[in-house]
Amino acid sequence: MKSVISVADGDAKIVTNDRWQLINDEAEETAVDKDSVILPLSLWQQRQSVEVLAGRESSADGIYLSPDDDETLLYPWLSVLPLIAIQFPSFRDGRGYTQAYMLRVRMGWAGELRAVGDVLRDQLSHMRQCGFDSFAVREDKSVEDALKGLRGLSVTYGRSVIEPKPLFRRRNL
């Protein structure tokens, strides 16, 4: 992934040397010799079965959730997952926001959460509020311009992963 933005300690920056490679199917997996891969849920589950049979605890692969995948299936592996990528097949599809919020708030996952797919500048601030901390911006868009999207909202009214109290609870009266 070439156009990746990462947020660490509240500071957003462009990642120049991203170690992760997104794999969409088994054919791609065999053609890739990179260690840090992000696999679809079904392929990741198959690989986990092989790892367990081989006597290894777990692989260090990231996992890729499509909008139809159930994030609660990951609960037993949250402690060993280095990265979860959530796909946005279209900017109009908001299911990824819910998956991210569920992973962060309800399941307590604190690892890297990456938005992939149709990720655009206008979405980044809202994605950040749902718990994403890295973003693979669409290849045909400027990553420098997209970085400005994280500076889009200075105050949020409702609660979010970043700010769990709504504005009326934060105000001093």
Side-chain angles (χ1 to χ4, degrees), residues 61-104:
D61 300 326
I63 194 163
Y64 168 68
L65 294 176
S66 71
D68 294 328
D69 290 334
D70 181 7
E71 67 281 348
T72 60
L73 296 174
L74 301 179
Y75 196 76
W77 295 288
L78 290 180
S79 63
V80 297
L81 280 172
L83 176 138
I84 298 175
I86 296 179
Q87 182 200 30
F88 286 83
S90 166
F91 71 92
R92 294 173 297 209
D93 191 338
R95 293 176 286 177
Y97 294 101
T98 303
Q99 288 173 317
Y101 190 81
M102 294 290 286
L103 283 163
R104 291 288 193 213

mmCIF file of all heavy atoms in Angstrom, residues 61-104:
data_model
loop_
_atom_site.group_PDB
_atom_site.id
_atom_site.type_symbol
_atom_site.label_atom_id
_atom_site.label_comp_id
_atom_site.label_asym_id
_atom_site.label_seq_id
_atom_site.Cartn_x
_atom_site.Cartn_y
_atom_site.Cartn_z
ATOM 1 N N ASP A 61 0.051 -12.448 10.767
ATOM 2 C CA ASP A 61 -0.648 -11.829 9.652
ATOM 3 C C ASP A 61 -1.724 -10.875 10.157
ATOM 4 O O ASP A 61 -2.330 -11.090 11.206
ATOM 5 C CB ASP A 61 -1.330 -12.887 8.777
ATOM 6 C CG ASP A 61 -0.347 -13.879 8.202
ATOM 7 O OD1 ASP A 61 0.792 -13.475 7.912
ATOM 8 O OD2 ASP A 61 -0.716 -15.056 8.053
ATOM 9 N N GLY A 62 -1.961 -9.839 9.370
ATOM 10 C CA GLY A 62 -3.087 -8.960 9.639
ATOM 11 C C GLY A 62 -4.328 -9.575 9.030
ATOM 12 O O GLY A 62 -4.265 -10.517 8.233
ATOM 13 N N ILE A 63 -5.474 -9.044 9.395
ATOM 14 C CA ILE A 63 -6.736 -9.572 8.883
ATOM 15 C C ILE A 63 -7.515 -8.460 8.208
ATOM 16 O O ILE A 63 -7.417 -7.293 8.580
ATOM 17 C CB ILE A 63 -7.544 -10.232 10.013
ATOM 18 C CG1 ILE A 63 -8.672 -11.058 9.450
ATOM 19 C CG2 ILE A 63 -8.043 -9.225 11.002
ATOM 20 C CD1 ILE A 63 -9.240 -12.031 10.441
ATOM 21 N N TYR A 64 -8.277 -8.857 7.195
ATOM 22 C CA TYR A 64 -9.006 -7.941 6.342
ATOM 23 C C TYR A 64 -10.490 -8.285 6.450
ATOM 24 O O TYR A 64 -10.880 -9.410 6.141
ATOM 25 C CB TYR A 64 -8.456 -8.153 4.935
ATOM 26 C CG TYR A 64 -9.171 -7.550 3.782
ATOM 27 C CD1 TYR A 64 -9.205 -6.181 3.599
ATOM 28 C CD2 TYR A 64 -9.772 -8.360 2.828
ATOM 29 C CE1 TYR A 64 -9.822 -5.644 2.496
ATOM 30 C CE2 TYR A 64 -10.390 -7.822 1.722
ATOM 31 C CZ TYR A 64 -10.407 -6.456 1.558
ATOM 32 O OH TYR A 64 -11.017 -5.917 0.481
ATOM 33 N N LEU A 65 -11.296 -7.353 6.945
ATOM 34 C CA LEU A 65 -12.729 -7.583 7.089
ATOM 35 C C LEU A 65 -13.489 -6.875 5.977
ATOM 36 O O LEU A 65 -13.295 -5.679 5.742
ATOM 37 C CB LEU A 65 -13.239 -7.043 8.430
ATOM 38 C CG LEU A 65 -12.749 -7.712 9.699
ATOM 39 C CD1 LEU A 65 -13.292 -6.979 10.920
ATOM 40 C CD2 LEU A 65 -13.131 -9.171 9.728
ATOM 41 N N SER A 66 -14.348 -7.625 5.318
ATOM 42 C CA SER A 66 -15.251 -7.003 4.354
ATOM 43 C C SER A 66 -16.493 -6.554 5.133
ATOM 44 O O SER A 66 -16.682 -6.952 6.283
ATOM 45 C CB SER A 66 -15.614 -7.988 3.244
ATOM 46 O OG SER A 66 -16.461 -9.000 3.752
ATOM 47 N N PRO A 67 -17.360 -5.743 4.534
ATOM 48 C CA PRO A 67 -18.531 -5.253 5.266
ATOM 49 C C PRO A 67 -19.460 -6.371 5.763
ATOM 50 O O PRO A 67 -20.135 -6.182 6.767
ATOM 51 C CB PRO A 67 -19.256 -4.383 4.234
ATOM 52 C CG PRO A 67 -18.204 -3.959 3.292
ATOM 53 C CD PRO A 67 -17.242 -5.101 3.218
ATOM 54 N N ASP A 68 -19.460 -7.504 5.107
ATOM 55 C CA ASP A 68 -20.342 -8.605 5.511
ATOM 56 C C ASP A 68 -19.740 -9.499 6.590
ATOM 57 O O ASP A 68 -20.427 -10.360 7.123
ATOM 58 C CB ASP A 68 -20.700 -9.469 4.294
ATOM 59 C CG ASP A 68 -21.536 -8.707 3.286
ATOM 60 O OD1 ASP A 68 -22.321 -7.832 3.712
ATOM 61 O OD2 ASP A 68 -21.405 -8.972 2.082
ATOM 62 N N ASP A 69 -18.460 -9.336 6.912
ATOM 63 C CA ASP A 69 -17.809 -10.173 7.916
ATOM 64 C C ASP A 69 -18.240 -9.773 9.320
ATOM 65 O O ASP A 69 -18.442 -8.589 9.608
ATOM 66 C CB ASP A 69 -16.286 -10.086 7.803
ATOM 67 C CG ASP A 69 -15.747 -10.759 6.557
ATOM 68 O OD1 ASP A 69 -16.406 -11.690 6.050
ATOM 69 O OD2 ASP A 69 -14.668 -10.350 6.086
ATOM 70 N N ASP A 70 -18.333 -10.766 10.187
ATOM 71 C CA ASP A 70 -18.713 -10.542 11.576
ATOM 72 C C ASP A 70 -17.457 -10.340 12.414
ATOM 73 O O ASP A 70 -16.685 -11.276 12.625
ATOM 74 C CB ASP A 70 -19.515 -11.751 12.083
ATOM 75 C CG ASP A 70 -19.977 -11.592 13.518
ATOM 76 O OD1 ASP A 70 -19.806 -10.504 14.102
ATOM 77 O OD2 ASP A 70 -20.522 -12.575 14.060
ATOM 78 N N GLU A 71 -17.249 -9.124 12.883
ATOM 79 C CA GLU A 71 -16.045 -8.806 13.653
ATOM 80 C C GLU A 71 -15.975 -9.551 14.983
ATOM 81 O O GLU A 71 -14.891 -9.750 15.524
ATOM 82 C CB GLU A 71 -15.916 -7.299 13.880
ATOM 83 C CG GLU A 71 -16.956 -6.679 14.774
ATOM 84 C CD GLU A 71 -18.300 -6.414 14.111
ATOM 85 O OE1 GLU A 71 -18.410 -6.493 12.878
ATOM 86 O OE2 GLU A 71 -19.242 -6.120 14.850
ATOM 87 N N THR A 72 -17.101 -10.016 15.505
ATOM 88 C CA THR A 72 -17.075 -10.726 16.790
ATOM 89 C C THR A 72 -16.383 -12.080 16.685
ATOM 90 O O THR A 72 -15.962 -12.626 17.698
ATOM 91 C CB THR A 72 -18.494 -10.910 17.364
ATOM 92 O OG1 THR A 72 -19.281 -11.675 16.447
ATOM 93 C CG2 THR A 72 -19.149 -9.560 17.626
ATOM 94 N N LEU A 73 -16.219 -12.597 15.470
ATOM 95 C CA LEU A 73 -15.488 -13.858 15.283
ATOM 96 C C LEU A 73 -14.011 -13.707 15.651
ATOM 97 O O LEU A 73 -13.332 -14.698 15.924
ATOM 98 C CB LEU A 73 -15.593 -14.339 13.831
ATOM 99 C CG LEU A 73 -16.987 -14.716 13.337
ATOM 100 C CD1 LEU A 73 -16.955 -15.022 11.844
ATOM 101 C CD2 LEU A 73 -17.538 -15.889 14.115
ATOM 102 N N LEU A 74 -13.520 -12.496 15.682
ATOM 103 C CA LEU A 74 -12.107 -12.238 15.981
ATOM 104 C C LEU A 74 -11.805 -12.198 17.474
ATOM 105 O O LEU A 74 -10.639 -12.172 17.866
ATOM 106 C CB LEU A 74 -11.674 -10.904 15.368
ATOM 107 C CG LEU A 74 -11.815 -10.767 13.866
ATOM 108 C CD1 LEU A 74 -11.362 -9.392 13.429
ATOM 109 C CD2 LEU A 74 -11.043 -11.851 13.165
ATOM 110 N N TYR A 75 -12.819 -12.182 18.292
ATOM 111 C CA TYR A 75 -12.612 -12.003 19.726
ATOM 112 C C TYR A 75 -11.532 -12.907 20.327
ATOM 113 O O TYR A 75 -10.681 -12.421 21.061
ATOM 114 C CB TYR A 75 -13.945 -12.161 20.472
ATOM 115 C CG TYR A 75 -13.879 -11.615 21.864
ATOM 116 C CD1 TYR A 75 -13.916 -10.241 22.086
ATOM 117 C CD2 TYR A 75 -13.750 -12.455 22.949
ATOM 118 C CE1 TYR A 75 -13.828 -9.726 23.362
ATOM 119 C CE2 TYR A 75 -13.667 -11.948 24.230
ATOM 120 C CZ TYR A 75 -13.704 -10.584 24.433
ATOM 121 O OH TYR A 75 -13.602 -10.078 25.687
ATOM 122 N N PRO A 76 -11.502 -14.221 20.008
ATOM 123 C CA PRO A 76 -10.461 -15.067 20.613
ATOM 124 C C PRO A 76 -9.032 -14.715 20.194
ATOM 125 O O PRO A 76 -8.082 -15.083 20.880
ATOM 126 C CB PRO A 76 -10.809 -16.477 20.129
ATOM 127 C CG PRO A 76 -12.203 -16.412 19.644
ATOM 128 C CD PRO A 76 -12.446 -15.001 19.225
ATOM 129 N N TRP A 77 -8.870 -14.010 19.079
ATOM 130 C CA TRP A 77 -7.535 -13.728 18.555
ATOM 131 C C TRP A 77 -7.103 -12.272 18.716
ATOM 132 O O TRP A 77 -6.032 -11.883 18.250
ATOM 133 C CB TRP A 77 -7.458 -14.101 17.082
ATOM 134 C CG TRP A 77 -7.608 -15.562 16.843
ATOM 135 C CD1 TRP A 77 -6.691 -16.542 17.132
ATOM 136 C CD2 TRP A 77 -8.734 -16.215 16.289
ATOM 137 N NE1 TRP A 77 -7.200 -17.765 16.784
ATOM 138 C CE2 TRP A 77 -8.450 -17.604 16.261
ATOM 139 C CE3 TRP A 77 -9.966 -15.784 15.810
ATOM 140 C CZ2 TRP A 77 -9.341 -18.540 15.776
ATOM 141 C CZ3 TRP A 77 -10.854 -16.722 15.329
ATOM 142 C CH2 TRP A 77 -10.532 -18.078 15.319
ATOM 143 N N LEU A 78 -7.887 -11.460 19.357
ATOM 144 C CA LEU A 78 -7.554 -10.037 19.453
ATOM 145 C C LEU A 78 -6.199 -9.782 20.097
ATOM 146 O O LEU A 78 -5.506 -8.831 19.738
ATOM 147 C CB LEU A 78 -8.649 -9.280 20.208
ATOM 148 C CG LEU A 78 -9.974 -9.133 19.463
ATOM 149 C CD1 LEU A 78 -10.964 -8.361 20.319
ATOM 150 C CD2 LEU A 78 -9.801 -8.469 18.113
ATOM 151 N N SER A 79 -5.795 -10.633 21.004
ATOM 152 C CA SER A 79 -4.518 -10.410 21.698
ATOM 153 C C SER A 79 -3.303 -10.671 20.809
ATOM 154 O O SER A 79 -2.204 -10.214 21.118
ATOM 155 C CB SER A 79 -4.433 -11.278 22.947
ATOM 156 O OG SER A 79 -4.462 -12.644 22.590
ATOM 157 N N VAL A 80 -3.472 -11.394 19.704
ATOM 158 C CA VAL A 80 -2.329 -11.713 18.841
ATOM 159 C C VAL A 80 -2.379 -11.023 17.475
ATOM 160 O O VAL A 80 -1.417 -11.109 16.723
ATOM 161 C CB VAL A 80 -2.190 -13.247 18.626
ATOM 162 C CG1 VAL A 80 -1.902 -13.931 19.938
ATOM 163 C CG2 VAL A 80 -3.401 -13.825 17.943
ATOM 164 N N LEU A 81 -3.462 -10.352 17.165
ATOM 165 C CA LEU A 81 -3.575 -9.686 15.866
ATOM 166 C C LEU A 81 -2.770 -8.382 15.849
ATOM 167 O O LEU A 81 -2.970 -7.519 16.701
ATOM 168 C CB LEU A 81 -5.032 -9.359 15.547
ATOM 169 C CG LEU A 81 -5.883 -10.491 15.024
ATOM 170 C CD1 LEU A 81 -7.341 -10.058 14.947
ATOM 171 C CD2 LEU A 81 -5.399 -10.955 13.674
ATOM 172 N N PRO A 82 -1.875 -8.216 14.884
ATOM 173 C CA PRO A 82 -1.117 -6.968 14.814
ATOM 174 C C PRO A 82 -1.881 -5.845 14.105
ATOM 175 O O PRO A 82 -1.629 -4.664 14.348
ATOM 176 C CB PRO A 82 0.121 -7.349 14.014
ATOM 177 C CG PRO A 82 -0.325 -8.487 13.167
ATOM 178 C CD PRO A 82 -1.379 -9.218 13.951
ATOM 179 N N LEU A 83 -2.816 -6.208 13.204
ATOM 180 C CA LEU A 83 -3.518 -5.209 12.410
ATOM 181 C C LEU A 83 -4.848 -5.779 11.934
ATOM 182 O O LEU A 83 -4.923 -6.951 11.564
ATOM 183 C CB LEU A 83 -2.670 -4.820 11.195
ATOM 184 C CG LEU A 83 -3.285 -3.852 10.199
ATOM 185 C CD1 LEU A 83 -2.252 -2.830 9.775
ATOM 186 C CD2 LEU A 83 -3.825 -4.565 8.997
ATOM 187 N N ILE A 84 -5.871 -4.947 11.945
ATOM 188 C CA ILE A 84 -7.159 -5.291 11.328
ATOM 189 C C ILE A 84 -7.455 -4.199 10.312
ATOM 190 O O ILE A 84 -7.447 -3.008 10.649
ATOM 191 C CB ILE A 84 -8.297 -5.375 12.357
ATOM 192 C CG1 ILE A 84 -8.027 -6.486 13.378
ATOM 193 C CG2 ILE A 84 -9.631 -5.622 11.651
ATOM 194 C CD1 ILE A 84 -9.043 -6.558 14.514
ATOM 195 N N ALA A 85 -7.677 -4.607 9.074
ATOM 196 C CA ALA A 85 -8.055 -3.677 8.015
ATOM 197 C C ALA A 85 -9.538 -3.874 7.723
ATOM 198 O O ALA A 85 -10.010 -5.008 7.640
ATOM 199 C CB ALA A 85 -7.232 -3.941 6.751
ATOM 200 N N ILE A 86 -10.251 -2.789 7.599
ATOM 201 C CA ILE A 86 -11.685 -2.845 7.303
ATOM 202 C C ILE A 86 -11.912 -2.209 5.945
ATOM 203 O O ILE A 86 -11.490 -1.082 5.694
ATOM 204 C CB ILE A 86 -12.506 -2.140 8.399
ATOM 205 C CG1 ILE A 86 -12.328 -2.887 9.721
ATOM 206 C CG2 ILE A 86 -13.974 -2.063 8.000
ATOM 207 C CD1 ILE A 86 -13.063 -2.280 10.892
ATOM 208 N N GLN A 87 -12.585 -2.964 5.088
ATOM 209 C CA GLN A 87 -12.799 -2.517 3.716
ATOM 210 C C GLN A 87 -14.009 -1.603 3.590
ATOM 211 O O GLN A 87 -15.067 -1.862 4.164
ATOM 212 C CB GLN A 87 -13.001 -3.714 2.783
ATOM 213 C CG GLN A 87 -13.184 -3.273 1.353
ATOM 214 C CD GLN A 87 -13.840 -4.316 0.491
ATOM 215 O OE1 GLN A 87 -14.630 -5.106 0.953
ATOM 216 N NE2 GLN A 87 -13.515 -4.292 -0.783
ATOM 217 N N PHE A 88 -13.828 -0.538 2.810
ATOM 218 C CA PHE A 88 -14.907 0.343 2.399
ATOM 219 C C PHE A 88 -15.033 0.185 0.882
ATOM 220 O O PHE A 88 -14.284 0.805 0.131
ATOM 221 C CB PHE A 88 -14.590 1.800 2.769
ATOM 222 C CG PHE A 88 -14.732 2.076 4.228
ATOM 223 C CD1 PHE A 88 -13.706 1.772 5.109
ATOM 224 C CD2 PHE A 88 -15.905 2.604 4.735
ATOM 225 C CE1 PHE A 88 -13.842 2.006 6.454
ATOM 226 C CE2 PHE A 88 -16.049 2.849 6.090
ATOM 227 C CZ PHE A 88 -15.020 2.544 6.952
ATOM 228 N N PRO A 89 -15.949 -0.682 0.412
ATOM 229 C CA PRO A 89 -16.067 -0.908 -1.030
ATOM 230 C C PRO A 89 -16.566 0.329 -1.783
ATOM 231 O O PRO A 89 -16.303 0.481 -2.967
ATOM 232 C CB PRO A 89 -17.071 -2.052 -1.140
ATOM 233 C CG PRO A 89 -17.804 -2.070 0.146
ATOM 234 C CD PRO A 89 -16.894 -1.476 1.176
ATOM 235 N N SER A 90 -17.272 1.199 -1.080
ATOM 236 C CA SER A 90 -17.779 2.437 -1.657
ATOM 237 C C SER A 90 -17.839 3.472 -0.538
ATOM 238 O O SER A 90 -18.064 3.121 0.622
ATOM 239 C CB SER A 90 -19.182 2.208 -2.223
ATOM 240 O OG SER A 90 -19.820 3.440 -2.487
ATOM 241 N N PHE A 91 -17.645 4.732 -0.880
ATOM 242 C CA PHE A 91 -17.715 5.762 0.150
ATOM 243 C C PHE A 91 -19.117 5.850 0.751
ATOM 244 O O PHE A 91 -19.312 6.365 1.833
ATOM 245 C CB PHE A 91 -17.272 7.127 -0.401
ATOM 246 C CG PHE A 91 -18.249 7.751 -1.355
ATOM 247 C CD1 PHE A 91 -19.227 8.611 -0.890
ATOM 248 C CD2 PHE A 91 -18.174 7.481 -2.711
ATOM 249 C CE1 PHE A 91 -20.132 9.188 -1.776
ATOM 250 C CE2 PHE A 91 -19.067 8.058 -3.592
ATOM 251 C CZ PHE A 91 -20.051 8.912 -3.122
ATOM 252 N N ARG A 92 -20.110 5.291 0.052
ATOM 253 C CA ARG A 92 -21.491 5.312 0.541
ATOM 254 C C ARG A 92 -21.793 4.182 1.517
ATOM 255 O O ARG A 92 -22.832 4.166 2.135
ATOM 256 C CB ARG A 92 -22.450 5.207 -0.639
ATOM 257 C CG ARG A 92 -22.398 6.407 -1.551
ATOM 258 C CD ARG A 92 -23.229 6.155 -2.752
ATOM 259 N NE ARG A 92 -22.632 5.017 -3.471
ATOM 260 C CZ ARG A 92 -22.695 4.821 -4.757
ATOM 261 N NH1 ARG A 92 -23.351 5.649 -5.496
ATOM 262 N NH2 ARG A 92 -22.116 3.800 -5.320
ATOM 263 N N ASP A 93 -20.881 3.230 1.659
ATOM 264 C CA ASP A 93 -21.102 2.070 2.521
ATOM 265 C C ASP A 93 -20.518 2.349 3.904
ATOM 266 O O ASP A 93 -19.305 2.410 4.078
ATOM 267 C CB ASP A 93 -20.439 0.839 1.905
ATOM 268 C CG ASP A 93 -20.838 -0.454 2.587
ATOM 269 O OD1 ASP A 93 -21.281 -0.399 3.751
ATOM 270 O OD2 ASP A 93 -20.710 -1.513 1.959
ATOM 271 N N GLY A 94 -21.372 2.520 4.892
ATOM 272 C CA GLY A 94 -20.925 2.907 6.229
ATOM 273 C C GLY A 94 -20.765 1.767 7.215
ATOM 274 O O GLY A 94 -20.515 2.000 8.397
ATOM 275 N N ARG A 95 -20.887 0.528 6.771
ATOM 276 C CA ARG A 95 -20.785 -0.599 7.702
ATOM 277 C C ARG A 95 -19.418 -0.694 8.374
ATOM 278 O O ARG A 95 -19.298 -1.148 9.502
ATOM 279 C CB ARG A 95 -21.128 -1.914 6.989
ATOM 280 C CG ARG A 95 -22.592 -1.971 6.572
ATOM 281 C CD ARG A 95 -22.894 -3.216 5.783
ATOM 282 N NE ARG A 95 -22.329 -3.103 4.438
ATOM 283 C CZ ARG A 95 -22.396 -4.076 3.528
ATOM 284 N NH1 ARG A 95 -22.966 -5.225 3.824
ATOM 285 N NH2 ARG A 95 -21.873 -3.891 2.335
ATOM 286 N N GLY A 96 -18.378 -0.224 7.707
ATOM 287 C CA GLY A 96 -17.037 -0.248 8.283
ATOM 288 C C GLY A 96 -16.908 0.626 9.519
ATOM 289 O O GLY A 96 -16.138 0.325 10.433
ATOM 290 N N TYR A 97 -17.668 1.711 9.569
ATOM 291 C CA TYR A 97 -17.655 2.569 10.754
ATOM 292 C C TYR A 97 -18.162 1.789 11.966
ATOM 293 O O TYR A 97 -17.602 1.870 13.053
ATOM 294 C CB TYR A 97 -18.545 3.804 10.549
ATOM 295 C CG TYR A 97 -18.066 4.754 9.494
ATOM 296 C CD1 TYR A 97 -18.633 4.750 8.225
ATOM 297 C CD2 TYR A 97 -17.069 5.682 9.766
ATOM 298 C CE1 TYR A 97 -18.216 5.643 7.252
ATOM 299 C CE2 TYR A 97 -16.644 6.572 8.803
ATOM 300 C CZ TYR A 97 -17.221 6.552 7.546
ATOM 301 O OH TYR A 97 -16.797 7.428 6.593
ATOM 302 N N THR A 98 -19.217 1.032 11.765
ATOM 303 C CA THR A 98 -19.790 0.230 12.849
ATOM 304 C C THR A 98 -18.826 -0.855 13.284
ATOM 305 O O THR A 98 -18.634 -1.086 14.487
ATOM 306 C CB THR A 98 -21.130 -0.398 12.408
ATOM 307 O OG1 THR A 98 -22.008 0.647 11.991
ATOM 308 C CG2 THR A 98 -21.766 -1.188 13.534
ATOM 309 N N GLN A 99 -18.200 -1.538 12.325
ATOM 310 C CA GLN A 99 -17.233 -2.579 12.668
ATOM 311 C C GLN A 99 -16.093 -2.000 13.502
ATOM 312 O O GLN A 99 -15.673 -2.591 14.498
ATOM 313 C CB GLN A 99 -16.674 -3.232 11.401
ATOM 314 C CG GLN A 99 -17.662 -4.128 10.691
ATOM 315 C CD GLN A 99 -17.122 -4.623 9.358
ATOM 316 O OE1 GLN A 99 -16.530 -3.856 8.590
ATOM 317 N NE2 GLN A 99 -17.332 -5.891 9.080
ATOM 318 N N ALA A 100 -15.590 -0.839 13.109
ATOM 319 C CA ALA A 100 -14.495 -0.201 13.840
ATOM 320 C C ALA A 100 -14.926 0.163 15.255
ATOM 321 O O ALA A 100 -14.219 -0.113 16.229
ATOM 322 C CB ALA A 100 -14.023 1.054 13.097
ATOM 323 N N TYR A 101 -16.091 0.762 15.376
ATOM 324 C CA TYR A 101 -16.587 1.167 16.693
ATOM 325 C C TYR A 101 -16.775 -0.054 17.598
ATOM 326 O O TYR A 101 -16.412 -0.026 18.774
ATOM 327 C CB TYR A 101 -17.899 1.936 16.539
ATOM 328 C CG TYR A 101 -18.348 2.596 17.813
ATOM 329 C CD1 TYR A 101 -17.809 3.808 18.214
ATOM 330 C CD2 TYR A 101 -19.309 1.998 18.625
ATOM 331 C CE1 TYR A 101 -18.210 4.426 19.386
ATOM 332 C CE2 TYR A 101 -19.715 2.604 19.805
ATOM 333 C CZ TYR A 101 -19.165 3.812 20.173
ATOM 334 O OH TYR A 101 -19.554 4.411 21.346
ATOM 335 N N MET A 102 -17.314 -1.123 17.037
ATOM 336 C CA MET A 102 -17.514 -2.358 17.820
ATOM 337 C C MET A 102 -16.177 -2.919 18.286
ATOM 338 O O MET A 102 -16.044 -3.337 19.441
ATOM 339 C CB MET A 102 -18.261 -3.402 16.989
ATOM 340 C CG MET A 102 -19.682 -3.022 16.651
ATOM 341 S SD MET A 102 -20.757 -3.041 18.069
ATOM 342 C CE MET A 102 -20.945 -4.779 18.312
ATOM 343 N N LEU A 103 -15.198 -2.959 17.408
ATOM 344 C CA LEU A 103 -13.881 -3.483 17.785
ATOM 345 C C LEU A 103 -13.246 -2.650 18.898
ATOM 346 O O LEU A 103 -12.686 -3.196 19.844
ATOM 347 C CB LEU A 103 -12.954 -3.524 16.574
ATOM 348 C CG LEU A 103 -13.187 -4.669 15.604
ATOM 349 C CD1 LEU A 103 -12.508 -4.382 14.267
ATOM 350 C CD2 LEU A 103 -12.681 -5.975 16.193
ATOM 351 N N ARG A 104 -13.331 -1.359 18.794
ATOM 352 C CA ARG A 104 -12.688 -0.478 19.771
ATOM 353 C C ARG A 104 -13.455 -0.420 21.099
ATOM 354 O O ARG A 104 -12.875 -0.619 22.154
ATOM 355 C CB ARG A 104 -12.564 0.940 19.225
ATOM 356 C CG ARG A 104 -11.588 1.081 18.092
ATOM 357 C CD ARG A 104 -10.168 0.954 18.575
ATOM 358 N NE ARG A 104 -9.262 1.406 17.526
ATOM 359 C CZ ARG A 104 -8.076 0.902 17.326
ATOM 360 N NH1 ARG A 104 -7.618 -0.072 18.081
ATOM 361 N NH2 ARG A 104 -7.306 1.358 16.360
#
